[in-house]
Amino acid sequence: MPTLHTYDYAVIRVVPRVEREEFINVGVIVSCPGASHLQAAIEIDTARLQAFAPQLDIGSLQPWLDAIVAICEGRPDAGPIAQLPPRARFHFLTAKRSSVVQMSVTHVGRTANPSGIVEHLLERMVRAPRPTNPL
């Protein structure tokens, strides 16, 4: 029987007008301490985001989103937060904040494949649903 690992995840959101609390999911962050796994992935559907918030400068968001990935990877150029232990980095990134880039509440799951959970979550939580062919 495969080993099941418990993981925590949050969805990365863009909230163009914080006061309206409307958002588009643009990525995920996953922490699986048992497998020493911390990873974030970003996928921006620019057409969808532009339709949702035409006034938003998507280019100005990119450095903030890139910083999330860099902190998860522990890159030396990502500042002092990136040098913290992985679990502390996850908690720092998922802390509640009122800004254009926000995280959902954290959720818990179990998987036998920690390295594949990010792709699974991107498909379920970030990518627009694909039309199904009824035939």
Side-chain angles (χ1 to χ4, degrees):
M1 179 163 201
T3 302
L4 290 178
H5 296 278
T6 301
Y7 65 91
D8 298 307
Y9 74 93
V11 179
I12 302 166
R13 301 171 167 170
V14 171
V15 186
R17 292 181 51 199
V18 176
E19 70 277 9
R20 289 181 58 101
E21 298 183 5
E22 298 170 332
F23 57 86
I24 296 272
N25 294 342
V26 298
V28 295
I29 178 172
V30 174
S31 172
C32 184
S36 301
H37 188 78
L38 176 63
Q39 183 181 0
I42 308 292
E43 283 189 15
I44 300 175
D45 183 335
T46 51
R48 191 171 172 210
L49 191 53
Q50 277 298 133
F52 179 68
Q55 78 287 358
L56 184 66
D57 177 10
I58 296 172
S60 67
L61 289 177
Q62 199 62 55
W64 299 101
L65 298 170
D66 291 343
I68 294 168
V69 174
I71 290 169
C72 281
E73 292 175 355
R75 293 186 206 157
D77 62 338
I81 300 300
Q83 306 317 304
L84 293 173
R87 197 70 180 153
R89 285 182 264 154
F90 177 77
H91 288 298
F92 172 83
L93 290 169
T94 58
K96 186 136 178 85
R97 52 185 52 91
S98 180
S99 64
V100 175
V101 176
Q102 297 181 16
M103 303 289 174
S104 71
V105 297
T106 57
H107 304 277
V108 176
R110 289 174 51 122
T111 184
N113 181 15
S115 61
I117 198 64
V118 168
E119 178 62 28
H120 170 76
L121 291 171
L122 284 171
E123 187 63 34
R124 291 192 45 106
M125 308 301 281
V126 176
R127 296 176 185 141
R130 296 184 190 125
T132 57
N133 187 352
L135 298 176

Coordinates of all heavy atoms in Angstrom, one line a residue, residues 20-107:
R20 N -14.5 44.8 -3.0 CA -15.6 44.0 -3.6 C -15.4 42.5 -3.3 O -16.3 41.7 -3.4 CB -15.6 44.2 -5.1 CG -16.2 45.6 -5.5 CD -16.3 45.7 -7.0 NE -17.1 44.7 -7.6 CZ -18.4 44.9 -8.0 NH1 -18.9 46.1 -7.8 NH2 -19.1 44.0 -8.5
E21 N -14.2 42.1 -2.9 CA -13.9 40.7 -2.6 C -14.1 39.7 -3.7 O -14.3 38.5 -3.5 CB -14.6 40.3 -1.3 CG -14.2 41.1 -0.1 CD -14.9 40.7 1.2 OE1 -15.6 39.6 1.2 OE2 -14.7 41.3 2.2
E22 N -14.0 40.2 -4.9 CA -14.1 39.3 -6.1 C -12.7 38.9 -6.5 O -11.8 39.8 -6.4 CB -14.9 40.0 -7.2 CG -16.3 40.4 -6.9 CD -16.9 41.3 -7.9 OE1 -16.2 42.0 -8.6 OE2 -18.1 41.2 -8.1
F23 N -12.5 37.7 -7.0 CA -11.2 37.3 -7.3 C -11.2 36.3 -8.5 O -12.2 35.7 -8.8 CB -10.5 36.7 -6.1 CG -11.3 35.5 -5.5 CD1 -11.1 34.2 -6.0 CD2 -12.2 35.7 -4.5 CE1 -11.8 33.1 -5.5 CE2 -12.9 34.6 -3.9 CZ -12.7 33.3 -4.4
I24 N -10.0 36.1 -9.0 CA -9.6 35.1 -10.0 C -8.5 34.3 -9.4 O -7.5 34.8 -8.9 CB -9.2 35.7 -11.3 CG1 -10.3 36.5 -12.0 CG2 -8.6 34.7 -12.3 CD1 -11.2 35.8 -12.9
N25 N -8.6 33.0 -9.5 CA -7.6 32.1 -9.0 C -6.4 32.1 -10.0 O -6.7 31.9 -11.2 CB -8.1 30.7 -8.8 CG -9.1 30.6 -7.6 OD1 -9.2 31.5 -6.8 ND2 -9.9 29.5 -7.6
V26 N -5.2 32.2 -9.6 CA -4.1 32.3 -10.5 C -2.9 31.3 -10.1 O -1.9 31.2 -10.8 CB -3.5 33.7 -10.6 CG1 -4.5 34.7 -11.2 CG2 -2.9 34.2 -9.3
G27 N -3.1 30.6 -9.0 CA -2.0 29.7 -8.7 C -2.4 28.9 -7.4 O -3.4 29.1 -6.8
V28 N -1.4 28.1 -7.0 CA -1.5 27.3 -5.7 C -0.2 27.3 -5.0 O 0.8 27.4 -5.7 CB -2.1 25.9 -6.0 CG1 -3.5 25.9 -6.5 CG2 -1.1 25.1 -6.9
I29 N -0.3 27.0 -3.7 CA 0.9 26.8 -2.9 C 0.6 25.6 -2.1 O -0.4 25.4 -1.5 CB 1.3 28.0 -2.1 CG1 2.5 27.7 -1.2 CG2 0.1 28.5 -1.3 CD1 3.0 29.0 -0.5
V30 N 1.6 24.6 -2.1 CA 1.4 23.4 -1.4 C 2.6 23.1 -0.5 O 3.7 23.3 -0.8 CB 1.3 22.2 -2.4 CG1 1.3 20.9 -1.7 CG2 0.1 22.4 -3.3
S31 N 2.2 22.7 0.8 CA 3.3 22.3 1.8 C 3.0 20.9 2.2 O 1.9 20.6 2.7 CB 3.2 23.2 3.0 OG 4.0 22.7 4.0
C32 N 4.0 20.0 2.0 CA 3.9 18.6 2.4 C 5.1 18.3 3.3 O 6.1 17.8 2.8 CB 3.7 17.7 1.2 SG 3.5 16.0 1.7
P33 N 5.0 18.6 4.6 CA 6.2 18.4 5.4 C 6.8 17.0 5.4 O 8.0 16.8 5.5 CB 5.7 18.8 6.8 CG 4.5 19.6 6.6 CD 3.9 19.1 5.3
G34 N 5.9 16.0 5.4 CA 6.4 14.6 5.4 C 7.2 14.2 4.3 O 8.0 13.3 4.3
A35 N 7.0 14.9 3.1 CA 7.8 14.6 1.9 C 8.8 15.8 1.7 O 9.4 15.8 0.6 CB 6.9 14.5 0.7
S36 N 9.0 16.7 2.7 CA 9.9 17.8 2.5 C 9.6 18.6 1.2 O 10.5 18.9 0.4 CB 11.4 17.4 2.5 OG 11.6 16.8 3.8
H37 N 8.3 18.9 1.0 CA 7.9 19.5 -0.3 C 7.2 20.8 0.0 O 6.2 20.8 0.7 CB 6.9 18.5 -1.0 CG 6.5 18.9 -2.4 ND1 7.4 18.7 -3.4 CD2 5.4 19.4 -2.8 CE1 6.8 19.1 -4.5 NE2 5.6 19.6 -4.2
L38 N 7.7 21.9 -0.6 CA 7.0 23.2 -0.6 C 7.1 23.7 -2.0 O 8.2 23.8 -2.6 CB 7.7 24.1 0.4 CG 7.1 25.5 0.4 CD1 5.6 25.6 0.8 CD2 7.9 26.4 1.3
Q39 N 6.0 24.0 -2.6 CA 6.0 24.4 -4.0 C 4.8 25.3 -4.3 O 3.7 25.2 -3.8 CB 5.9 23.2 -4.9 CG 6.0 23.5 -6.4 CD 5.8 22.3 -7.3 OE1 5.7 21.2 -6.8 NE2 5.9 22.5 -8.6
A40 N 5.1 26.3 -5.1 CA 4.0 27.2 -5.6 C 4.1 27.2 -7.1 O 5.2 27.1 -7.7 CB 4.2 28.6 -5.1
A41 N 2.9 27.3 -7.8 CA 2.9 27.4 -9.2 C 1.8 28.5 -9.6 O 0.8 28.6 -8.9 CB 2.5 26.1 -9.9
I42 N 2.2 29.3 -10.6 CA 1.3 30.4 -11.0 C 0.9 30.1 -12.5 O 1.8 29.8 -13.3 CB 2.0 31.7 -11.0 CG1 2.6 32.0 -9.6 CG2 1.1 32.9 -11.4 CD1 1.7 32.2 -8.5
E43 N -0.3 30.3 -12.8 CA -0.8 30.2 -14.2 C -1.9 31.3 -14.4 O -3.0 31.2 -13.9 CB -1.4 28.9 -14.6 CG -0.4 27.8 -14.8 CD -1.1 26.5 -15.4 OE1 -2.3 26.6 -15.8 OE2 -0.4 25.5 -15.3
I44 N -1.5 32.4 -15.1 CA -2.4 33.5 -15.3 C -3.1 33.3 -16.6 O -2.4 33.2 -17.7 CB -1.7 34.8 -15.2 CG1 -1.1 35.0 -13.8 CG2 -2.7 36.0 -15.5 CD1 -0.2 36.3 -13.7
D45 N -4.4 33.2 -16.6 CA -5.2 33.3 -17.9 C -5.4 34.7 -18.2 O -6.4 35.3 -17.6 CB -6.5 32.5 -17.7 CG -7.3 32.4 -19.0 OD1 -7.2 33.3 -19.8 OD2 -8.1 31.5 -19.0
T46 N -4.5 35.4 -19.0 CA -4.6 36.8 -19.1 C -5.9 37.3 -19.8 O -6.4 38.3 -19.4 CB -3.4 37.3 -19.9 OG1 -3.2 36.5 -21.1 CG2 -2.1 37.2 -19.1
A47 N -6.4 36.5 -20.7 CA -7.7 36.9 -21.4 C -8.8 36.9 -20.3 O -9.6 37.9 -20.3 CB -8.0 36.0 -22.5
R48 N -8.8 35.9 -19.5 CA -9.9 35.8 -18.5 C -9.7 37.0 -17.4 O -10.7 37.6 -17.0 CB -9.8 34.5 -17.8 CG -10.9 34.1 -16.9 CD -10.7 32.7 -16.5 NE -11.7 32.3 -15.5 CZ -11.5 31.4 -14.6 NH1 -10.3 30.7 -14.5 NH2 -12.4 31.1 -13.7
L49 N -8.5 37.2 -17.0 CA -8.2 38.3 -16.0 C -8.5 39.7 -16.6 O -9.1 40.5 -16.0 CB -6.8 38.2 -15.5 CG -6.4 39.1 -14.3 CD1 -7.4 38.9 -13.2 CD2 -5.0 38.8 -13.9
Q50 N -8.2 39.9 -17.9 CA -8.5 41.2 -18.6 C -10.0 41.4 -18.7 O -10.5 42.5 -18.5 CB -7.9 41.2 -20.0 CG -6.4 41.6 -20.0 CD -6.2 43.0 -19.4 OE1 -5.3 43.2 -18.6 NE2 -6.9 44.0 -19.8
A51 N -10.7 40.3 -19.0 CA -12.2 40.4 -19.1 C -12.8 40.7 -17.7 O -13.7 41.5 -17.6 CB -12.8 39.1 -19.6
F52 N -12.2 40.2 -16.7 CA -12.7 40.3 -15.3 C -12.4 41.7 -14.7 O -13.1 42.3 -14.1 CB -12.1 39.2 -14.4 CG -12.5 39.3 -13.0 CD1 -13.8 39.1 -12.6 CD2 -11.6 39.6 -12.0 CE1 -14.2 39.1 -11.2 CE2 -12.0 39.7 -10.7 CZ -13.3 39.4 -10.3
A53 N -11.1 42.2 -15.0 CA -10.7 43.4 -14.5 C -9.8 44.2 -15.6 O -8.6 44.2 -15.5 CB -9.8 43.2 -13.3
P54 N -10.5 44.8 -16.5 CA -9.8 45.5 -17.6 C -8.9 46.6 -17.2 O -7.9 46.9 -17.8 CB -10.9 46.0 -18.5 CG -12.2 45.9 -17.8 CD -12.0 44.9 -16.6
Q55 N -9.1 47.2 -16.0 CA -8.3 48.3 -15.5 C -7.0 47.8 -14.8 O -6.1 48.6 -14.6 CB -9.1 49.2 -14.5 CG -9.2 48.6 -13.1 CD -10.2 47.4 -13.0 OE1 -10.9 47.0 -13.9 NE2 -10.3 46.8 -11.8
L56 N -6.9 46.5 -14.6 CA -5.8 46.0 -13.9 C -4.5 45.9 -14.7 O -4.6 45.4 -15.9 CB -6.1 44.6 -13.3 CG -5.1 43.9 -12.4 CD1 -4.9 44.6 -11.1 CD2 -5.5 42.5 -12.2
D57 N -3.4 46.3 -14.2 CA -2.1 46.2 -14.9 C -1.5 44.9 -14.5 O -0.9 44.7 -13.5 CB -1.2 47.4 -14.5 CG 0.2 47.2 -15.2 OD1 0.4 46.4 -16.0 OD2 1.1 48.0 -14.8
I58 N -1.7 43.9 -15.4 CA -1.2 42.5 -15.1 C 0.3 42.5 -14.9 O 0.8 41.7 -14.1 CB -1.7 41.5 -16.2 CG1 -3.3 41.5 -16.2 CG2 -1.1 40.1 -16.0 CD1 -3.9 40.7 -17.3
G59 N 1.0 43.3 -15.7 CA 2.4 43.3 -15.6 C 2.9 43.7 -14.2 O 4.0 43.2 -13.8
S60 N 2.2 44.6 -13.6 CA 2.6 45.0 -12.2 C 2.4 43.9 -11.2 O 3.0 43.9 -10.1 CB 1.9 46.3 -11.8 OG 0.5 46.0 -11.6
L61 N 1.6 42.9 -11.5 CA 1.4 41.8 -10.6 C 2.5 40.7 -10.6 O 2.7 40.0 -9.6 CB 0.1 41.0 -10.9 CG -1.2 41.7 -10.6 CD1 -2.4 40.9 -11.1 CD2 -1.4 42.0 -9.2
Q62 N 3.1 40.6 -11.8 CA 4.0 39.5 -12.0 C 5.2 39.5 -11.0 O 5.5 38.4 -10.5 CB 4.6 39.6 -13.4 CG 5.2 38.3 -13.9 CD 4.2 37.2 -13.9 OE1 3.2 37.3 -14.6 NE2 4.5 36.1 -13.2
P63 N 5.8 40.6 -10.6 CA 6.9 40.5 -9.6 C 6.4 39.9 -8.2 O 7.1 39.2 -7.6 CB 7.4 41.9 -9.4 CG 6.9 42.6 -10.7 CD 5.7 41.9 -11.1
W64 N 5.1 40.3 -7.8 CA 4.6 39.8 -6.6 C 4.3 38.3 -6.7 O 4.6 37.5 -5.7 CB 3.3 40.5 -6.2 CG 3.5 41.9 -6.0 CD1 3.3 42.9 -6.9 CD2 4.1 42.6 -4.9 NE1 3.6 44.2 -6.4 CE2 4.2 44.0 -5.2 CE3 4.6 42.1 -3.7 CZ2 4.7 44.9 -4.2 CZ3 5.1 43.0 -2.8 CH2 5.1 44.4 -3.1
L65 N 3.8 37.8 -7.8 CA 3.6 36.4 -8.0 C 4.9 35.6 -8.1 O 5.0 34.5 -7.6 CB 2.7 36.2 -9.2 CG 1.3 36.8 -9.1 CD1 0.6 36.8 -10.5 CD2 0.5 36.2 -8.1
D66 N 5.9 36.2 -8.8 CA 7.2 35.6 -8.9 C 7.8 35.4 -7.5 O 8.5 34.4 -7.3 CB 8.1 36.4 -9.8 CG 7.7 36.3 -11.3 OD1 6.8 35.4 -11.7 OD2 8.1 37.2 -12.1
A67 N 7.6 36.4 -6.7 CA 8.2 36.4 -5.3 C 7.6 35.2 -4.5 O 8.4 34.6 -3.7 CB 7.9 37.7 -4.6
I68 N 6.4 34.8 -4.7 CA 5.8 33.7 -4.0 C 6.5 32.4 -4.4 O 6.9 31.6 -3.5 CB 4.3 33.6 -4.3 CG1 3.5 34.8 -3.7 CG2 3.7 32.3 -3.8 CD1 2.1 34.9 -4.2
V69 N 6.8 32.3 -5.7 CA 7.5 31.1 -6.2 C 8.9 31.1 -5.6 O 9.4 30.0 -5.2 CB 7.4 31.0 -7.7 CG1 8.3 29.9 -8.2 CG2 6.0 30.9 -8.2
A70 N 9.6 32.2 -5.7 CA 11.0 32.3 -5.2 C 11.1 32.0 -3.7 O 12.0 31.3 -3.3 CB 11.5 33.7 -5.5
I71 N 10.2 32.5 -2.9 CA 10.2 32.2 -1.5 C 10.0 30.7 -1.2 O 10.7 30.1 -0.4 CB 9.2 33.1 -0.8 CG1 9.6 34.5 -0.8 CG2 8.9 32.6 0.7 CD1 8.5 35.5 -0.3
C72 N 9.1 30.1 -2.0 CA 8.8 28.7 -1.8 C 10.1 27.9 -2.1 O 10.4 26.9 -1.4 CB 7.7 28.2 -2.7 SG 6.1 28.6 -2.0
E73 N 10.8 28.3 -3.2 CA 12.0 27.6 -3.6 C 13.2 27.9 -2.7 O 14.2 27.2 -2.8 CB 12.3 28.0 -5.0 CG 11.3 27.4 -6.0 CD 11.5 27.9 -7.5 OE1 12.5 28.7 -7.7 OE2 10.8 27.4 -8.3
G74 N 13.1 28.9 -1.8 CA 14.2 29.2 -0.9 C 15.3 29.9 -1.6 O 16.5 29.8 -1.2
R75 N 15.1 30.6 -2.7 CA 16.1 31.3 -3.4 C 16.8 32.3 -2.6 O 16.2 33.1 -1.9 CB 15.6 31.9 -4.7 CG 15.1 31.0 -5.7 CD 14.7 31.7 -7.0 NE 13.7 31.0 -7.7 CZ 12.8 31.6 -8.6 NH1 12.9 32.9 -8.8 NH2 11.9 30.9 -9.2
P76 N 18.2 32.4 -2.7 CA 18.9 33.4 -1.9 C 18.5 34.8 -2.2 O 18.6 35.6 -1.3 CB 20.4 33.1 -2.3 CG 20.4 31.7 -2.9 CD 19.0 31.5 -3.4
D77 N 18.1 35.1 -3.4 CA 17.8 36.5 -3.8 C 16.3 36.8 -3.4 O 15.9 37.9 -3.7 CB 18.0 36.7 -5.3 CG 17.1 35.8 -6.2 OD1 16.6 34.7 -5.7 OD2 16.9 36.1 -7.4
A78 N 15.6 35.9 -2.8 CA 14.2 36.2 -2.4 C 14.1 36.8 -1.0 O 13.0 36.9 -0.5 CB 13.4 34.9 -2.5
G79 N 15.2 37.2 -0.4 CA 15.1 37.8 0.9 C 15.1 36.9 2.1 O 15.2 35.7 1.9
P80 N 15.0 37.5 3.3 CA 15.2 36.7 4.5 C 14.0 35.7 4.7 O 14.3 34.7 5.3 CB 15.2 37.8 5.6 CG 14.7 39.0 5.0 CD 14.9 38.9 3.5
I81 N 12.9 36.0 4.2 CA 11.7 35.0 4.4 C 12.1 33.7 3.7 O 11.8 32.6 4.2 CB 10.4 35.6 3.9 CG1 10.1 36.9 4.7 CG2 9.3 34.6 4.0 CD1 9.9 36.7 6.1
A82 N 12.7 33.8 2.6 CA 13.1 32.6 1.8 C 14.1 31.7 2.5 O 14.2 30.5 2.2 CB 13.6 33.0 0.4
Q83 N 14.7 32.2 3.5 CA 15.7 31.5 4.3 C 15.2 30.8 5.5 O 15.8 30.0 6.2 CB 16.9 32.4 4.7 CG 17.5 33.1 3.5 CD 17.7 32.3 2.3 OE1 18.4 31.3 2.3 NE2 17.2 32.7 1.1
L84 N 13.9 31.0 5.8 CA 13.2 30.3 6.9 C 13.0 28.9 6.5 O 13.0 28.5 5.4 CB 11.9 31.0 7.2 CG 11.9 32.4 7.7 CD1 10.5 33.0 7.8 CD2 12.6 32.5 9.1
P85 N 12.7 28.0 7.5 CA 12.3 26.6 7.2 C 11.1 26.6 6.3 O 10.2 27.5 6.4 CB 12.0 26.0 8.6 CG 12.7 26.9 9.6 CD 12.7 28.3 9.0
P86 N 10.9 25.6 5.5 CA 9.8 25.5 4.6 C 8.4 25.7 5.2 O 7.6 26.4 4.7 CB 9.9 24.1 4.0 CG 11.3 23.8 4.1 CD 11.8 24.4 5.4
R87 N 8.2 25.2 6.4 CA 6.8 25.3 7.0 C 6.6 26.8 7.4 O 5.5 27.3 7.2 CB 6.7 24.4 8.2 CG 5.4 24.2 8.7 CD 4.6 23.3 7.7 NE 3.2 23.1 8.2 CZ 2.2 22.9 7.5 NH1 2.3 22.8 6.2 NH2 1.0 22.8 8.0
A88 N 7.6 27.5 7.9 CA 7.5 28.9 8.2 C 7.2 29.7 7.0 O 6.4 30.7 7.0 CB 8.7 29.3 9.0
R89 N 7.9 29.4 5.9 CA 7.6 30.1 4.6 C 6.2 29.9 4.2 O 5.5 30.9 3.7 CB 8.6 29.6 3.5 CG 10.0 30.1 3.7 CD 10.8 29.6 2.5 NE 11.5 28.4 3.0 CZ 12.0 27.4 2.1 NH1 11.8 27.5 0.8 NH2 12.6 26.4 2.6
F90 N 5.7 28.7 4.3 CA 4.3 28.4 3.9 C 3.3 29.3 4.8 O 2.4 29.9 4.2 CB 3.9 27.0 4.1 CG 2.5 26.6 3.8 CD1 2.1 26.5 2.5 CD2 1.6 26.4 4.8 CE1 0.7 26.2 2.2 CE2 0.3 26.1 4.5 CZ -0.2 26.0 3.2
H91 N 3.5 29.3 6.1 CA 2.7 30.1 6.9 C 2.8 31.6 6.7 O 1.8 32.3 6.7 CB 2.9 29.8 8.4 CG 2.4 28.4 8.8 ND1 1.1 28.0 8.7 CD2 3.1 27.3 9.2 CE1 1.0 26.8 9.1 NE2 2.2 26.3 9.4
F92 N 4.0 32.1 6.4 CA 4.2 33.5 6.0 C 3.4 33.8 4.8 O 2.6 34.8 4.7 CB 5.6 33.8 5.8 CG 5.8 35.2 5.3 CD1 5.9 36.3 6.2 CD2 6.0 35.4 3.9 CE1 6.0 37.6 5.7 CE2 6.2 36.7 3.4 CZ 6.2 37.8 4.3
L93 N 3.5 33.0 3.8 CA 2.8 33.3 2.5 C 1.3 33.1 2.6 O 0.6 33.8 1.8 CB 3.4 32.3 1.4 CG 4.8 32.6 1.0 CD1 5.3 31.5 0.1 CD2 4.9 33.9 0.2
T94 N 0.8 32.3 3.4 CA -0.6 32.1 3.5 C -1.3 32.9 4.6 O -2.5 32.8 4.8 CB -1.0 30.6 3.7 OG1 -0.4 30.1 4.9 CG2 -0.5 29.7 2.6
A95 N -0.6 33.8 5.2 CA -1.2 34.7 6.2 C -2.2 35.6 5.6 O -2.0 36.0 4.4 CB -0.1 35.5 6.9
K96 N -3.3 35.9 6.2 CA -4.3 36.7 5.7 C -3.8 38.1 5.5 O -3.1 38.7 6.3 CB -5.5 36.7 6.7 CG -6.7 37.5 6.2 CD -7.9 36.7 6.5 CE -9.2 37.4 6.0 NZ -9.5 37.1 4.7
R97 N -4.1 38.7 4.3 CA -3.8 40.1 4.0 C -4.8 40.7 3.1 O -5.6 40.0 2.5 CB -2.4 40.1 3.4 CG -2.1 39.2 2.2 CD -0.7 39.2 1.7 NE 0.3 38.9 2.6 CZ 0.8 37.7 2.9 NH1 0.3 36.7 2.3 NH2 1.8 37.6 3.7
S98 N -4.8 42.0 3.1 CA -5.8 42.7 2.3 C -5.0 43.4 1.2 O -4.5 44.5 1.4 CB -6.5 43.7 3.2 OG -7.4 44.5 2.4
S99 N -4.8 42.7 0.1 CA -4.0 43.3 -1.0 C -4.6 42.7 -2.3 O -5.5 41.8 -2.3 CB -2.5 42.9 -0.8 OG -2.3 41.5 -0.9
V100 N -4.0 43.1 -3.4 CA -4.5 42.6 -4.7 C -4.1 41.1 -4.9 O -4.8 40.3 -5.5 CB -3.9 43.4 -5.8 CG1 -4.3 42.9 -7.2 CG2 -4.4 44.9 -5.7
V101 N -3.0 40.7 -4.3 CA -2.6 39.3 -4.3 C -2.9 38.7 -2.9 O -2.3 39.2 -1.9 CB -1.1 39.1 -4.7 CG1 -0.7 37.6 -4.6 CG2 -0.8 39.6 -6.1
Q102 N -3.8 37.7 -2.9 CA -4.2 37.1 -1.6 C -4.1 35.6 -1.7 O -4.1 35.0 -2.8 CB -5.6 37.5 -1.2 CG -5.8 39.0 -1.0 CD -7.2 39.3 -0.6 OE1 -8.0 38.5 -0.2 NE2 -7.5 40.6 -0.7
M103 N -4.2 34.9 -0.6 CA -4.3 33.5 -0.5 C -5.7 33.1 0.0 O -6.3 33.8 0.8 CB -3.3 32.9 0.4 CG -1.9 33.2 0.1 SD -1.4 32.3 -1.4 CE 0.3 33.1 -1.6
S104 N -6.2 32.0 -0.4 CA -7.4 31.4 0.2 C -7.1 30.9 1.6 O -5.9 30.9 2.0 CB -8.0 30.2 -0.6 OG -7.1 29.1 -0.5
V105 N -8.1 30.5 2.3 CA -7.8 29.8 3.6 C -7.1 28.5 3.2 O -7.2 28.0 2.1 CB -9.1 29.5 4.4 CG1 -9.8 30.8 4.8 CG2 -10.0 28.6 3.6
T106 N -6.3 28.0 4.1 CA -5.6 26.7 3.8 C -6.6 25.6 4.0 O -7.5 25.6 4.8 CB -4.4 26.6 4.8 OG1 -4.8 26.6 6.1 CG2 -3.4 27.7 4.5
H107 N -6.3 24.6 3.2 CA -7.0 23.3 3.2 C -6.1 22.2 3.4 O -4.9 22.3 3.1 CB -7.8 23.2 1.8 CG -8.7 24.3 1.5 ND1 -9.9 24.4 2.0 CD2 -8.5 25.4 0.7 CE1 -10.5 25.5 1.6 NE2 -9.6 26.1 0.8

